[in-house]
């Protein structure tokens, strides 16, 4: 994907190194100068966030990240702050050794990290131990330093990426620092926004170090961030319209005892703007659905053959919420996936797909969580989470559809490898019914004529932002149905500036 706005572009580590190298080679910016710029940006971030801080403990590794840390120590000392610098090694590499010398020339002293030594107390801990160069679990003194930074009192600022976090994938293979803030340099790294990165980074800030645009131009970002400006894609509705203009979603699901799942998906489709929404479910569920939301047309289909007429009238299918995988659910699923209509598959629809996929199915969007993704790809959840970017691309390619990999930093991919990441959402959304809502939203957008890609991206974004608006900073106890009214705001573009 061609870079247009690098502040919404996500890069792999090797790509960021290429940008660095271009800036040094073509831009004639010396490596030590980039290090000075990173230090200046890091120190400015620290002073802006914690202006009352007077004591700093700075932890420096042997590489460029440690070099940034040494130069921050120089700036802090020049401002009269008390600085204790702890190094993980006796020597640094390359430009970082020059930075180390600058700290010594400024009269600074260096404590070499010891197994039995605690970190000096401080108002702010600066994490310059590792940067983007780690993909393994920290060990030995490095692991101890991360643990001690975590245990220390005071705020924690990470330079470029929290130590112990894989900047490419967002996976923490071992101990990883949970920072209060992270300042990323040059460009956003993919792993800051998904998986363990969501817990480790704290508040994020980007500084491009005044690298010229020519070092970015023509480069393809690996993925992009979804932003609320996408809500501008919703067209203004004409006045001379009727419900038939906005599609008919058929939600298929609701085995005995699971009436709530298709009910939530159906209302989400309506709130997303679908003109008509029907539910095919167990006969016993029809009366409760009609009573709670009469705008939904609920049909009892205890006989799976009755589904065919409902599929014929629908424009989009949403298959799986509460469906079950036994005889009734399997029979409905089989008729739906061969019904020739655009379709969103979720929940038990995915579990059935994992064991009964065939080449004649027409699937538009799948929305697995990591457990469902593991079943679809024949692996375990750990493998999915180790590289969510690779996983979502494999899903989209294998099933030739748009794939949504749910979780912290939900990802959307298409079969060509295009990937978008949603940076919104909160832990309160890890609760029953949230996936059913997402299925309904995406189906509702498909029914209004959006492409599978746009429906998935906008659906994921609206779902997450609705969750944030509903939670209002209080995620515990959030209910799926709490998102339905904020969802209406999102699909009408009425989104608070707090999400910008």
């Amino acid at each position: 994907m061609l870079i247009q706005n690098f502040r919404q572009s996500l890069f792999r580590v090797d790509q960021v190194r290429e940008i660095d190298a271009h800036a040094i080679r073509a831009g004639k910016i010396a490596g030590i100068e980039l290090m000075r710029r990173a230090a200046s940006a890091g120190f400015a971030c620290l002073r802006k966030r914690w202006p009352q801080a007077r004591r700093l403990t700075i932890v420096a590794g042997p590489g460029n990240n440690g070099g940034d840390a040494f130069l921050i120590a120089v700036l802090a000392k020049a401002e009269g702050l008390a600085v204790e610098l702890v190094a993980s090694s006796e020597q640094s590499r390359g430009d970082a050794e020059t930075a180390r010398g600058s700290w010594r020339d400024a009269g600074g002293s260096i404590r070499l990290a010891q197994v039995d030594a605690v970190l000096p107390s401080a108002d702010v801990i600066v994490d310059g131990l590792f940067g983007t160069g780690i993909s393994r679990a920290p060990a030995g003194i490095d692991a101890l330093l991360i643990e001690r930074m975590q245990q220390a009192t005071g705020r924690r600022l990470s330079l470029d990426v929290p130590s112990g976090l894989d900047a490419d994938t967002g996976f923490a293979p071992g101990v990883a620092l949970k920072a209060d803030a992270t300042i990323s340099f040059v460009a956003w790294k993919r792993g800051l926004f998904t998986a363990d990165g969501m817990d480790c980074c704290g508040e994020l800030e980007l500084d491009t170090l005044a690298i010229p645009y020519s070092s970015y131009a023509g480069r393809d970002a690996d993925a992009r961030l979804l932003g609320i400006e996408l809500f501008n894609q919703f067209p203004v509705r004409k006045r001379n319209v009727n419900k038939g203009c906005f599609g008919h979603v058929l939600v298929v699901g609701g085995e005995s005892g699971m009436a709530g799942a298709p009910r939530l998906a159906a209302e989400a489709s309506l709130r997303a703007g679908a003109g008509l929404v029907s539910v095919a479910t167990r006969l016993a569920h029809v009366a409760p659905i009609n009573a709670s939301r009469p705008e939904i047309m609920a049909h009892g289909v205890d006989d799976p053959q009755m589904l065919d007429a409902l599929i014929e009238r629908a424009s989009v299918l949403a298959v799986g919420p509460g469906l079950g995988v036994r005889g009734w659910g399997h029979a409905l699923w089989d008729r739906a996936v061969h019904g020739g209509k655009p379709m969103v598959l979720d929940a038990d629809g995915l579990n059935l797909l994992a064991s009964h996929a065939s080449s004649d199915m027409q699937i538009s969007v799948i929305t697995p969580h990591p457990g469902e993704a593991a079943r679809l790809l024949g692996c375990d959840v750990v493998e999915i989470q180790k590289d969510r970017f690779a996983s979502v691309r494999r899903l989209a390619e294998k099933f030739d559809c748009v794939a949504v990999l749910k979780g912290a930093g939900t990802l959307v991919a298409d079969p060509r490898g295009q990937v978008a990441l949603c940076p919104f959402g909160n832990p309160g959304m890890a609760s029953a019914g949230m996936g059913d809502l997402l299925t309904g939203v995406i189906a509702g957008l498909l029914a209004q004529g959006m492409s599978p890609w746009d429906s998935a991206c906008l659906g994921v974004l609206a779902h997450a932002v609705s969750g944030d608006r509903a939670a209002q900073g209080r995620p515990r106890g959030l209910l799926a149905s709490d998102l339905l009214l904020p969802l209406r705001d999102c699909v009408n573009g009425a989104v608070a500036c707090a999400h910008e």
Side-chain angles (χ1 to χ4, degrees), residues 113-136:
Q114 302 292 333
V115 171
D116 56 353
V118 298
L119 290 180
S121 60
D123 301 316
V124 178
I125 312 292
V126 177
D127 165 30
L129 183 58
F130 294 120
T132 58
I134 186 170
S135 57
R136 55 176 173 78

Side-chain angles (χ1 to χ4, degrees), residues 279-291:
V279 172
T281 188
R282 286 289 193 181
L283 180 61
H285 296 155
V286 171
I289 292 174
N290 284 341

Side-chain angles (χ1 to χ4, degrees), residues 260 264-265 268 428-438 463 466-467 470 477-487:
L264 286 167
M429 299 175 72
S431 63
M434 291 291 179
D436 303 318
L437 286 185
L438 178 60
H463 181 255
S466 297
L478 185 67
L479 301 182
S481 56
D482 294 338
L483 276 61
L484 288 167
L485 291 181
L487 174 62

Side-chain angles (χ1 to χ4, degrees), residues 264-309:
L264 286 167
E267 183 165 353
S269 288
L270 284 172
R271 295 294 185 184
L276 294 162
V277 178
S278 297
V279 172
T281 188
R282 286 289 193 181
L283 180 61
H285 296 155
V286 171
I289 292 174
N290 284 341
S292 64
R293 181 55 67 202
E295 296 89 347
I296 297 169
M297 297 176 286
H299 304 270
V301 287
D302 285 350
D303 180 354
Q305 292 183 356
M306 299 171 64
L307 186 64
D308 295 344

Side-chain angles (χ1 to χ4, degrees), residues 125-473:
I125 312 292
V126 177
D127 165 30
L129 183 58
F130 294 120
T132 58
I134 186 170
S135 57
R136 55 176 173 78
I141 195 66
D142 296 326
L144 285 174
L145 280 172
I146 294 173
E147 290 173 354
R148 286 169 186 165
M149 283 191 284
Q150 192 65 54
Q151 294 162 0
T153 57
R155 300 293 189 175
R156 290 172 287 274
L157 173 65
S158 286
L159 305 179
D160 218 15
V161 60
S163 289
L165 182 73
D166 187 322
D168 255 344
T169 66
F171 180 69
V175 62
L177 186 67
K178 291 180 172 58
D180 294 290
T182 299
I183 180 166
S184 185
F185 303 128
V186 181
W188 289 128
K189 290 79 183 174
R190 304 185 313 178
L192 302 179
F193 294 92
T194 194
D196 296 314
M198 299 289 280
D199 288 313
C200 290
C201 292
E203 295 184 16
L204 281 162
E205 184 174 326
L206 174 66
D207 194 292
T208 62
L209 309 185
I211 286 177
Y213 183 75
S214 59
S215 294
Y216 300 88
R219 299 183 186 276
D220 291 338
D222 186 79
R224 70 179 176 92
L225 291 172
L226 296 175
I228 64 169
E229 71 282 351
L230 290 181
F231 291 142
N232 295 329
Q233 291 186 15
F234 289 108
V236 176
R237 286 192 168 182
K238 298 177 182 178
R239 297 176 65 87
N240 184 25
V241 293
N242 59 67
K243 61 192 176 187
C245 298
F246 305 115
H248 184 169
V249 174
L250 173 63
V251 179
V252 181
E255 178 58 285
S256 297
M258 298 291 289
R263 157 73 172 77
L264 286 167
E267 183 165 353
S269 288
L270 284 172
R271 295 294 185 184
L276 294 162
V277 178
S278 297
V279 172
T281 188
R282 286 289 193 181
L283 180 61
H285 296 155
V286 171
I289 292 174
N290 284 341
S292 64
R293 181 55 67 202
E295 296 89 347
I296 297 169
M297 297 176 286
H299 304 270
V301 287
D302 285 350
D303 180 354
Q305 292 183 356
M306 299 171 64
L307 186 64
D308 295 344
L310 298 176
I311 292 174
E312 182 66 26
R313 292 199 293 271
S315 51
V316 170
L317 309 183
V319 181
L323 182 65
V325 295
R326 293 178 292 182
W328 178 82
H330 189 180
L332 265 62
W333 176 87
D334 189 63
R335 298 185 108 82
V337 298
H338 295 101
K341 296 294 176 72
M343 178 173 53
V344 183
L345 266 186
D346 184 33
D348 284 326
L350 298 172
N351 292 327
L352 288 163
L353 179 65
S355 53
H356 299 285
S358 64
S359 59
D360 59 344
M361 296 177 179
Q362 296 184 25
I363 304 171
S364 303
V365 182
I366 57 175
T367 61
H369 57 56
E372 292 161 344
R375 288 189 283 276
L376 289 168
L377 293 177
C379 61
D380 59 29
V381 173
V382 173
E383 184 176 340
I384 295 294
Q385 293 295 84
K386 275 185 177 179
D387 192 340
R388 287 169 53 81
F389 294 91
S391 297
V392 75
R393 285 184 165 114
R394 286 174 61 199
L395 287 164
E397 182 180 9
K398 179 175 180 177
F399 296 102
D400 193 28
C401 67
V402 172
V404 175
L405 180 56
K406 296 183 288 195
T410 291
L411 298 169
V412 184
D414 70 8
R416 298 173 298 162
Q418 181 178 202
V419 174
L421 186 153
C422 180
F424 303 108
N426 63 81
M429 299 175 72
S431 63
M434 291 291 179
D436 303 318
L437 286 185
L438 178 60
T439 299
V441 173
I442 295 173
L445 298 179
L446 266 176
Q448 294 170 73
M450 290 188 179
S451 68
W453 172 257
D454 288 340
S455 297
C457 289
L458 281 165
V460 164
L461 181 65
H463 181 255
V465 172
S466 297
D468 288 344
R469 287 168 62 85
Q472 297 181 347

